[in-house]
Amino acid sequence: MVGGFELKKVEESSARRCVALLKEGASETHARVTVELEDAPPHRIAKLDLQQVETPEAVRPARLSEAEAIAGLRAQIDAAVAADKFSGAVLVAKNGKPIFTDVRGMADREAKVPITLESRFRIGSMNKMFTATAVMQLVQARKIALDDTVGKLLPDYPNKEVASKVTVHHLLGHAGGTGDIFGPEYRQRKGELRTIQDYVKLYGERAPLFEPGSRFEYSNYGFILLGAIIEKVTGKSYYERVQSAVFAPAGMKRTSSPPEEKNEPGRVVPYTHFGSPKAWARESTLLPYRGASAGGGDSTVTDLLAFANALGAHKLLDAKHTELLTTRKDDKHGYAYGFEDYTNDKDGVRCIGHGGGAPGMNGDLRICTSGYTVAVLSNFDPRAADLLAHWLVPRLPAK
């Protein structure tokens, strides 16, 4: 997915520990790898950690004029399509209004149905932005507090350690140690997981993976719990609540989480190379019954722009709670509450948003203080969409 790595610099080296800076082969994205060995023979690997880091200032791409950046984006799209590495929709807006759109590829290759700007793509973890917004609305309304525990809001929660120690703040920022939902249990019981409560029944007995609040570790199950909290506090299903509190006021008319078995008009077919490296094949093995509060559901690039505009105009939250929602909680990971907070220290441009990806789906949304919004969605594997966003955003003008 990343085109391999190029070693750029060894930052630390000893007999049993090495830290190095790497660059992705397919983009300017950099990562830091840490390898540690056990002290005693045979010195097995005790730690192997790979984390994305900010691109070093010396090698960051230069800002271009708007026309140059858009021309470059068009060339990137052309090259990706020619290599059969992109199928999807691209939208770039300035001050809330589209200045560039492009659609490529097929929504259904077999039926030869082309993609349009209104095509509905599965968005994966991008849905966390909507969940976090709905939770912050409850905080703003003083129906819940960020320091409320899972046990206070879900009194019957099975695991007592999670119930007593994990807070809404921890869940929103992936610091609760609540773990993932994907793995052997998910594959074995995927067909049974139809509601948020089904996920809680399956994973609710698990203890935290680490002391809640001690560190960041991305947790899909943590956002499932936020969905359960939304349902408990509002008395509505998660789907009803985000529709009425987020999608409707934002004017998002083609965003929802219908069951996969429903023949939804305009929904694209997901195509994957996983398990079929030489040809695109329909993905059907990992798709859940229905998207939930941790991710999933469908949206369009135009709806993502509508969400960005509504957030910026404070139609969803007041200024104070919008800032709290979207501001990073630690500099190491750059994660806010359901949003990633990207800041270019070189010129002060700050972008917020979230990506999403799984076999047969990839997307990215960037909302920048420069006035630009970039939305890219694809029905191909990661990183078909986000590589285009990653290329464009640092090259757009800073003002």
Side-chain angles (χ1 to χ4, degrees):
M1 290 192 295
V2 302
F5 287 101
E6 177 186 348
L7 175 65
K8 302 302 292 186
K9 181 182 179 182
V10 176
E11 298 179 320
E12 180 184 338
S13 181
S14 66
R16 289 187 290 276
R17 175 179 165 87
C18 182
V19 181
L21 185 69
L22 310 175
K23 177 188 172 297
E24 290 185 0
S27 76
E28 287 98 4
T29 301
H30 283 62
R32 180 169 285 112
V33 62
T34 302
V35 183
E36 295 180 0
L37 306 182
E38 292 179 344
D39 291 337
H43 305 298
R44 292 174 297 188
I45 294 175
K47 178 181 180 181
L48 177 60
D49 184 57
L50 186 68
Q51 295 286 344
Q52 182 177 330
V53 298
E54 281 197 43
T55 301
E57 186 172 326
V59 295
R60 287 181 189 169
R63 297 283 181 183
L64 305 174
S65 71
E66 184 179 285
E68 290 170 333
I70 295 300
L73 171 62
R74 187 177 285 109
Q76 292 287 316
I77 296 170
D78 288 343
V81 170
D84 201 21
K85 292 183 177 180
F86 180 72
S87 167
V90 184
L91 183 151
V92 183
K94 179 68 183 292
N95 298 327
K97 297 182 179 180
I99 60 170
F100 173 83
T101 58
D102 198 357
V103 292
R104 304 292 185 97
M106 293 290 171
D108 186 328
R109 288 189 158 200
E110 291 73 24
K112 300 191 184 314
V113 177
I115 288 170
T116 73
L117 276 181
E118 297 305 311
S119 292
R120 297 175 54 147
F121 294 82
R122 291 161 187 81
I123 60 173
S125 284
M126 298 176 77
N127 194 47
K128 288 182 172 70
M129 295 183 288
F130 312 144
T131 300
T133 300
V135 170
M136 194 57 67
Q137 288 173 335
L138 298 177
V139 173
Q140 179 178 303
R142 298 187 177 182
K143 293 184 178 180
I144 65 174
L146 289 171
D147 58 2
D148 283 347
T149 62
V150 169
K152 178 180 178 179
L153 300 173
L154 303 174
D156 298 328
Y157 192 77
N159 184 274
K160 300 308 177 186
E161 192 175 0
V162 170
S164 63
K165 292 184 176 182
V166 177
T167 67
V168 173
H169 164 74
H170 294 148
L171 296 176
L172 285 167
H174 298 289
T178 41
D180 209 343
I181 57 176
F182 299 110
E185 290 174 304
Y186 173 82
R187 289 190 290 270
Q188 291 168 8
R189 301 180 63 177
K190 180 169 72 77
E192 304 170 28
L193 300 172
R194 297 190 161 223
T195 68
I196 287 174
Q197 290 305 316
D198 289 337
Y199 286 93
V200 175
K201 289 176 185 177
L202 180 58
Y203 299 112
E205 298 285 351
R206 294 192 309 199
L209 299 175
F210 52 83
E211 182 64 23
S214 64
R215 63 186 173 91
F216 173 97
E217 186 173 303
Y218 195 83
S219 172
N220 281 306
Y221 183 59
F223 269 72
I224 289 289
L225 289 181
L226 289 171
I229 288 169
I230 289 171
E231 293 189 334
K232 183 71 173 181
V233 173
T234 65
K236 298 180 178 180
S237 75
Y238 167 77
Y239 308 101
E240 292 172 326
R241 180 63 183 183
V242 293
Q243 172 60 40
S244 63
V246 180
F247 302 154
M252 302 167 69
K253 298 179 181 179
R254 295 177 65 80
T255 301
S256 63
S257 295
E260 282 294 331
E261 62 189 24
K262 185 178 179 181
N263 186 20
E264 194 70 19
R267 178 191 268 174
V268 302
V269 174
Y271 292 97
T272 182
H273 270 317
F274 289 91
S276 181
K278 293 185 178 180
W280 291 108
R282 286 182 177 232
E283 158 53 31
S284 59
T285 58
L286 288 177
L287 288 173
Y289 166 76
R290 186 181 194 181
S293 50
D298 305 340
S299 192
T300 69
V301 289
T302 51
D303 268 13
L304 292 176
L305 175 61
F307 174 71
N309 290 344
L311 198 67
H314 304 305
K315 291 182 179 179
L316 304 176
L317 291 163
D318 63 27
K320 173 186 173 181
H321 288 87
T322 300
E323 187 70 13
L324 185 59
L325 175 76
T326 58
T327 301
R328 62 173 59 189
K329 306 310 174 206
D330 70 83
D331 288 333
K332 182 178 180 182
H333 300 286
Y335 207 89
Y337 286 158
F339 283 77
E340 294 175 275
D341 176 359
Y342 314 89
T343 300
N344 188 325
D345 295 329
K346 187 174 182 179
D347 51 30
V349 174
R350 174 176 171 246
C351 300
I352 59 171
H354 210 291
M361 66 187 81
N362 188 215
D364 204 2
L365 174 67
R366 301 293 181 94
I367 310 164
C368 301
T369 54
S370 58
Y372 289 100
T373 297
V374 177
V376 189
L377 294 172
S378 176
N379 57 337
F380 281 1
D381 299 329
R383 303 179 58 197
D386 67 68
L387 278 177
L388 294 174
H390 284 207
W391 185 92
L392 177 64
V393 168
R395 290 175 168 83
L396 285 167
K399 295 181 181 180

